Each structure stands twice: as C-alpha cells, then as structure tokens.
Amino acid sequence: MAQDHNIPPKPSGKPPGKPDFKVDPKASAAPAANFLRAIIERDLQSPGWDQRRFGGSPGDAAHHAAGALDVARIRTRFPPEPNGYLHVGHAKSICLNFGLARDYGGVCHLRFDDTNPEKEEQEFVDAIIEAVQWLGFDWNVNGASHLYNASAYFDFMYRAAEALVTAGLAYVDEQTPEQMRANRGDFNTPGTNSPWRERSPADNLKRLREMRDALHADGAMVLRARIDMASPNINLRDPTLYRIKRATHHSTGNRWCIYPMYTYAHPIEDALECITHSMCTLEFEDQRPFYDWLLEHLAQLGLVARPLPRQYEFGRLNLSYVVTSKRKLRALVAEGIVSGWDDPRMPTLFGMRRRGFTPASIRAMADGTGASKTNIWLDYAVLEGCLRNDLEGQAPRAMAVLDPMPLRLTNWAQVFGSAEHIEPCHAPAHPQHPEMGERHFGLGPQVWIERDDFAIEPPKGFFRLFPPQMQADGSVVPGSKVRLKYGMVVECTGFETDAQGRVTQVLAQVLPGTKSGTAGADSVKVKGTITWVGVHDAVPATVVLYDRLFTEAQPDAGGRDFREVLNPRSRVEVQAFVEPALAGVAAERHYQFERHGYFITDRVSHRVEAPVFNRVTTLKDSWGG
Ligand code: ATP
Ligand code: MG
C-alpha cells in the first residue's frame, strides 16, 4: 500500500500573496513539478501516437477502428462516483485531468462511475455537473459532449466477461465469501486455488449465464479472473469481476442482477472511451497490474482498441484544518455541526463557493501543488493566499464597521454652520483600477467606528483614538488625532460610558480644512487612520465571520474524534454597518472590506433589503505559527 498521511507542516506565517506550497518533505520533486507532463510529452513524441483512432463515441475495438484519426491529442477523464458532493480533493483531480487535457490539446471526459447500484442519486449527478462547470471546465469540445455514464457500458462489460470465460481467463467460483477470504492468503502466504478453478470454459459460461439470468441467490457465486493465486500482489490472486446483487440501478433499473466490480469496470470504461492517460490516486497503484492484465487480454481478444490506456498514480491532496472523508462530512451535516453540505465551512466545492473561494483561487491552489508520487498535506493558509492573490487586483473596496460604536463630532454644527450638514466624500472602488469608478458617501456629525479603534488608556504603539491623558504630574496630554479615512482629521476629546462602565460613545472634534484630497489634507500630521461609516447613510448588514472549523491541522489524526477539536468560533455572526455603495448589491459579489479582509454576499441568505456578507478570509494569515 502506498504511504499516506504524513505529518502536516506547521501553519505558515508567510505574508499573504506568497503561497509557499507545502510539499511532503520526502518528495524529491520541486514544488508544482508535475511528472505527468513529462509522461504526456514523451507519449506525444512516440511513433504512431497521431495514428490513434476514435469512433466519435465510446465503443469497442471495431467501433474505433472504423472511426477517424483522433483529433484529441490526449484523452483524460474525471470519473466521480455520484454518491456524494465533491470536495477540495476532487477539485485537485478535476484541475489535473481537465488542465492537462487543455494544456496538451486534448479532451477530458466527465464520466459518472455509476456501476455500483443503489448508492447513486440524481441530486449528486446534478451537483457534480454544476461544480465542474463552476470550476471553469467543460467536457463539450468542438460541439461534441464528452459526458458519459459507466452504466452505459454494462452490455459490453458482460460481453467481455463471456469472452474471458471462453478464453479460460475467468471462472465462476462457488466458494463462500469466508472460504474465499481464507484461501486468498496474505502477504506472507500464497493463496490456495479454489476447487472450482479448473471447471471447463463451457461449464463456466453456463454458470455465468445462470448468474445473469437470476437463477442463483445473491452472494452464491462470483465471477473471478483466473490469474495466479500465488502472486505476490494480492490483487492478482484471481480478483472478483462480477457479483450477484439484486438491486435496482438508477439508470438500468432491474435489467441486471449481476454487477461488475470497480476494479473490472474501471479499466474497461477507460478503454471504451479511448482514454490515453488514466490518472488516479496512489492507493490504486497495486491495482495497476490487473488493469494492464485485463486490457491486454481484452485487446488480444479483439474487444478493445489499441493503444491501451495507461494508468498513472499521483499523490492525494489533503488540506489542513478540514476533513474530507464522505463519512465524516456526512456526520458534520447530520449532527447539525454545520448547516448543510454547502455550509461555508465545509470543504465541499459548494461550501467553498458559498464561503467565497473563487474558481481561479482553487485552480491556482491545484496547479501550484503539481503532481507527485506522494500524498501531500497542503496548508489551509496556502488556499487563503491563492484567494487573496486572485481578489487583490479585482475586488472592489468598501468600508464596513463590524463591531460598531458611535463617534460624535461635537463641534460639527459650529464648523459647518448646521448640525444637518453632510460633507461629501469619495474613494476609488479599487486603488489600482480607476476605471472601476468611485464610491460616494458622506461624513456627518455621527459616524460608526470599530469598538477596538478606541482605547481609554492606549497601550504602547496604539495610534488610533484615545482621550486626553492625565499625567502623574498633573499635566494633560491631548487626545489622539486620527484621520477618518477619505474624510477629515478628528481629535479625540472624551467618551461616555453606561452604568457598567462600558463605553457607549466616543467624542471628538473635527479639524476643519483637513479633508482628504484637499490642499489642507496634510496640514495636520496623524499617525493613525481609521475606517468608519456615517450614521446617516450606513447600511445595516449581517456579517458572518467564518474561520476554520477545527483548531487542529489534522482534525482526525491518530484516530481522534474530530468533534473534540471543533473551533467554537468558526462562525460568528455580527450586526454591522457597511457604506452606502453596498446598498442593493446582488448575491455572490466579492468585496474587500478595508482593514478586515475579503467578503462575499451570501448565495443563499443574502437579500437586497437585508444584506448578508460572508467573510472568506482576513487580509493576513492570522494563524501563522
Ligand atoms: P472519498 O473516497 O474520499 O469519498 P472517492 O475517491 O470515493 O472519495 P470518487 O468519486 O471516486 O470519490 O473520486 C473521483 C476522483 O477524484 C477519483 O479519481 C479520485 O482519485 C479523485 N480524488 C478523490 N479524492 C482526492 C484527493 N483528496 N486528492 C486527489 N484526488 C482525489
Ligand atoms: Mg472512490
């Protein structure tokens, strides 16, 4: 078995914008190296590669022989089983398969591996299609769709089984499951031949047809390949090809009561579709000899086209601070720990989308990890870094006050002649993109500021608001002067508290003539600038501050129950105020809230009249270790 689950590196303290891809220390390849590219490039140069034929749709050897030269220079596939929602690990596989096809002038098939009856559901099929499209990939190439269902190949799979039986390469085994297990042997002991192994091809064929025709009970017998019970590779000790299972299949209904095993079905699916490079994760490495054995024999029998697909294994992508096993994800949903499969803390593609991760950021993360022969643990901070890289240059900026406290400018009426006066202010939607336009908002006598932008007694190095300080010698140091960003400089003069001593309002005086963008803007030097929103034009909004769901990088390490390391602050909902430019925004729009991070209007609960913003990530990695 391939080695798995190396200890994750500590969370990175690197500044944002510089993702350092944490690759397994044992991996010799440089970051983002992709050994599959070298293989593809070699194959593209190999003699006869451009003589491959494709029948225009999946099919047997004759179908493809009658077809035209394949216009796709390579064929890859992403083959999900439609029994759950896709997660970040699947995104890795999608980006790899579709990305390599794109880069080398090939085609990637989206194939639903629906050979296992009962477990598949249309809901998952639809969700997978939506997720792959959202990630930015397409299986429609030059007007042809390459979306396939493996269950459409059941007839061929059965035909291939009869051919193997006839050729003496497969037999019906009537041992009980216990006998089969006992006779398989183990790593140190060769297996023992089944008493049914020497039955004649004619007898085997009769039995196989009886299996197909529902003349035997579920589990009474199986079809096995006839390879070598003493093989050092246990997967070659006469693996099972077909089992009897009376189950209704979501697309073939009750037509079949025998179903192929995954290890038999998968190589055939690849061959019928003329896949050239069949990429899978490392745990399938030991299956490759059977993959090759099966396809070589089916090609010799004239059933599948050459050249045969080749299987290549790459390391799984694991992301720190998440769990990706379907069972554990299901438990999170079922136990109400999260709100559903698309909860913004879930590592499902629907969850990540709702959280605000962009397709480009996920693709960058996948491409940045390349492909190697070891499973990798990727630091969650790397994914966040990819998101920041993507959004930095394009997300409109906005001011938002997440923990609002009022600031009153006590000399306002005196300076402007009226307590109703509103001073118009503006700011670029994006500092590097003037073409994105300007935001407009007003400064009035009352504004909302962040509660922690004020301190009664400022700690050392605190450059935001604090009131005048009485010194030991009785002298008074004046209150701080700060700029209200894009507005004017104010000088803190005092504060008010409630009966419990909690600050209810900060008092300050506006310094006339200091407005940003005017000649006098620099007349008063300040050490601090704070964000704010005018009380008169603030838009109330719900802001949900999402954070990692777990406090440990490997929540389920060493068999630990992941419920023990849930982050109690993974979802904090606050009532905030945002600037008026954000009134009426649509769902699924990204913003950078200045000083706070990246946010997105929630796909599900956002309403124009009741906005909801999700925090995707902060501006800096706050988990640096
Ligand atoms: P799981 O067993 O974790 O629930 P799965 O492998 O059963 O996932 P499939 O639907 O069979 O899910 O996966 C589709 C493809 O995605 C497979 O080719 C599989 O190898 C790949 N894949 C799944 N998880 C990862 C991962 N963590 N990293 C890379 N590829 C992955
Ligand atoms: Mg699987």
Side-chain angles (χ1 to χ4, degrees):
M1 224 355 154
Q3 67 179 66
D4 201 347
H5 302 296
N6 302 294
I7 304 303
K10 281 179 75 181
S12 137
K14 291 264 163 62
K18 288 211 188 92
D20 69 342
F21 292 100
K22 298 280 182 172
V23 179
D24 180 282
K26 289 188 215 82
S28 54
N34 185 332
F35 72 96
L36 298 165
R37 290 184 184 276
I39 290 170
I40 292 170
E41 283 161 23
R42 180 203 65 198
D43 288 345
L44 288 174
Q45 303 296 318
S46 68
W49 187 262
D50 51 3
Q51 297 304 305
R52 294 162 31 256
R53 292 185 176 273
F54 183 64
S57 57
D60 63 9
H63 174 74
H64 292 304
L69 291 179
D70 197 348
V71 291
R73 297 181 72 217
I74 61 169
R75 285 187 187 270
T76 59
R77 85 288 172 268
F78 173 63
E81 226 179 303
N83 63 355
Y85 288 93
L86 299 182
H87 56 63
V88 62
H90 295 118
K92 169 75 200 173
S93 178
I94 294 169
C95 293
L96 196 63
N97 282 293
F98 279 92
L100 288 172
R102 175 200 58 210
D103 293 352
Y104 290 101
V107 169
C108 181
H109 300 184
L110 174 60
R111 178 201 306 149
F112 288 106
D113 212 326
D114 59 352
T115 52
N116 194 8
E118 288 176 323
K119 283 209 277 179
E120 286 97 20
E121 279 177 44
Q122 189 61 35
E123 173 196 353
F124 298 129
V125 169
D126 296 341
I128 289 169
I129 287 178
E130 195 178 338
V132 175
Q133 284 174 330
W134 175 74
L135 265 183
F137 296 109
D138 197 353
W139 48 88
N140 291 290
V141 183
N142 299 329
S145 166
H146 297 284
L147 187 153
Y148 301 115
N149 289 300
S151 59
Y153 312 145
F154 279 160
D155 283 328
F156 179 89
M157 289 172 187
Y158 180 76
R159 183 177 141 214
E162 287 208 349
L164 291 171
V165 165
T166 306
L169 295 166
Y171 63 99
V172 172
D173 192 352
E174 297 183 36
Q175 293 183 98
T176 63
E178 295 71 39
Q179 287 168 329
M180 275 184 66
R181 204 170 304 125
N183 287 338
R184 189 172 294 127
D186 55 31
F187 280 110
N188 306 313
T189 331
T192 311
N193 285 353
S194 162
W196 306 102
R197 200 170 190 269
E198 301 306 326
R199 219 162 26 185
S200 73
D203 281 353
N204 278 315
L205 193 58
K206 179 166 163 285
R207 272 287 196 240
L208 175 60
R209 290 180 176 168
E210 288 171 9
M211 281 171 64
R212 176 198 61 189
D213 296 338
L215 299 180
H216 298 284
D218 284 15
M221 54 192 70
V222 295
L223 182 72
R224 296 178 78 174
R226 197 161 174 277
I227 310 180
D228 178 7
M229 288 304 292
S231 172
N233 181 340
I234 293 184
N235 296 293
L236 289 180
R237 294 185 187 173
D238 294 6
T240 300
L241 310 181
Y242 264 99
R243 66 201 195 284
I244 308 175
K245 191 176 171 84
R246 286 172 177 75
T248 303
H249 187 277
H250 80 117
S251 69
T252 58
N254 292 325
R255 185 150 170 251
W256 295 94
C257 70
I258 56 170
Y259 288 96
M261 304 301 287
Y262 178 84
T263 46
Y264 175 71
H266 198 85
I268 292 180
E269 294 158 20
D270 285 345
L272 294 180
E273 293 179 20
C274 291
I275 299 303
T276 55
H277 300 84
S278 176
M279 270 89 71
C280 61
T281 41
L282 284 180
E283 66 273 21
F284 292 99
E285 193 167 10
D286 293 345
Q287 296 286 357
R288 182 165 18 100
F290 176 69
Y291 184 103
D292 292 339
W293 180 94
L294 178 65
L295 293 186
E296 180 55 37
H297 284 291
L298 293 181
Q300 282 174 19
L301 292 167
L303 287 172
V304 300
R306 290 189 194 270
L308 294 173
R310 299 292 305 269
Q311 173 181 305
Y312 301 96
E313 308 86 21
F314 65 94
R316 222 168 233 276
L317 174 78
N318 299 292
L319 188 61
S320 65
Y321 297 97
V322 307
V323 293
T324 51
S325 119
K326 273 177 200 148
R327 183 174 55 80
K328 289 170 188 168
L329 293 175
R330 207 174 292 122
L332 288 169
V333 175
E335 294 168 29
I337 295 169
V338 297
S339 63
W341 288 97
D342 66 347
D343 184 288
R345 292 163 294 176
M346 290 283 271
T348 55
L349 288 179
F350 278 90
M352 293 172 79
R353 174 178 182 178
R354 189 170 165 199
R355 170 74 164 265
F357 285 101
T358 57
S361 67
I362 297 173
R363 292 196 303 263
M365 182 270 305
D367 292 348
T369 53
S372 70
K373 277 292 198 181
T374 31
N375 293 324
I376 60 171
W377 268 95
L378 187 71
D379 195 324
Y380 194 86
V382 173
L383 178 61
E384 295 180 312
C386 291
L387 192 268
R388 294 185 193 109
N389 283 348
D390 184 30
L391 290 185
E392 162 61 27
Q394 51 166 330
R397 306 317 201 234
M399 286 199 289
V401 176
L402 304 186
D403 185 9
M405 178 161 71
L407 167 73
R408 187 153 62 85
L409 302 174
T410 53
N411 63 340
W412 191 263
Q414 199 185 319
V415 169
F416 291 104
S418 156
E420 317 308 317
H421 176 80
I422 298 297
E423 187 64 18
C425 300
H426 62 88
H430 190 290
Q432 277 88 48
H433 293 292
E435 75 284 1
M436 285 172 68
E438 288 200 326
R439 310 125 59 181
H440 293 269
F441 41 89
L443 179 58
Q446 296 248 44
V447 301
W448 296 111
I449 62 167
E450 294 291 347
R451 180 164 288 277
D452 67 5
D453 278 344
F454 172 77
I456 298 174
E457 287 173 27
K460 206 172 173 331
F462 185 87
F463 296 126
R464 290 164 283 161
L465 288 166
F466 54 83
Q469 306 285 310
M470 172 81 80
Q471 304 298 99
D473 64 1
S475 65
V476 173
V477 175
S480 64
K481 293 189 186 69
V482 304
R483 175 172 297 283
L484 297 180
K485 198 168 187 190
Y486 312 116
M488 280 176 257
V489 176
V490 300
E491 177 175 340
C492 187
T493 52
F495 60 96
E496 290 170 4
T497 56
D498 61 15
Q500 284 74 47
R502 184 176 151 92
V503 180
T504 51
Q505 173 157 250
V506 180
L507 306 174
Q509 295 211 333
V510 61
L511 305 189
T514 58
K515 192 170 157 186
S516 294
T518 66
D522 292 331
S523 60
V524 180
K525 289 272 173 261
V526 294
K527 283 190 173 162
T529 298
I530 63 172
T531 45
W532 55 280
V533 180
V535 168
H536 67 285
D537 63 5
V539 175
T542 299
V543 173
V544 193
L545 303 171
Y546 286 108
D547 204 343
R548 297 165 195 202
L549 188 52
F550 300 100
T551 54
E552 292 290 328
Q554 262 182 292
D556 43 9
R560 171 174 50 209
D561 184 344
F562 58 84
R563 294 168 191 82
E564 288 167 19
V565 290
L566 286 169
N567 175 6
R569 294 186 56 81
S570 64
R571 183 187 192 282
V572 175
E573 187 175 313
V574 299
Q575 292 307 313
F577 290 106
V578 299
E579 63 172 67
L582 298 193
V585 298
E588 266 201 300
R589 292 291 164 81
H590 284 98
Y591 292 92
Q592 187 198 96
F593 287 173
E594 301 189 27
R595 298 169 68 209
H596 288 299
Y598 291 101
F599 292 74
I600 187 171
T601 40
D602 188 56
R603 287 184 82 198
V604 177
S605 58
H606 174 78
R607 301 281 173 272
V608 166
E609 65 286 1
V612 180
F613 292 87
N614 297 333
R615 181 171 70 194
V616 202
T617 182
T618 53
L619 288 180
K620 285 202 202 84
D621 176 16
S622 52
W623 285 64

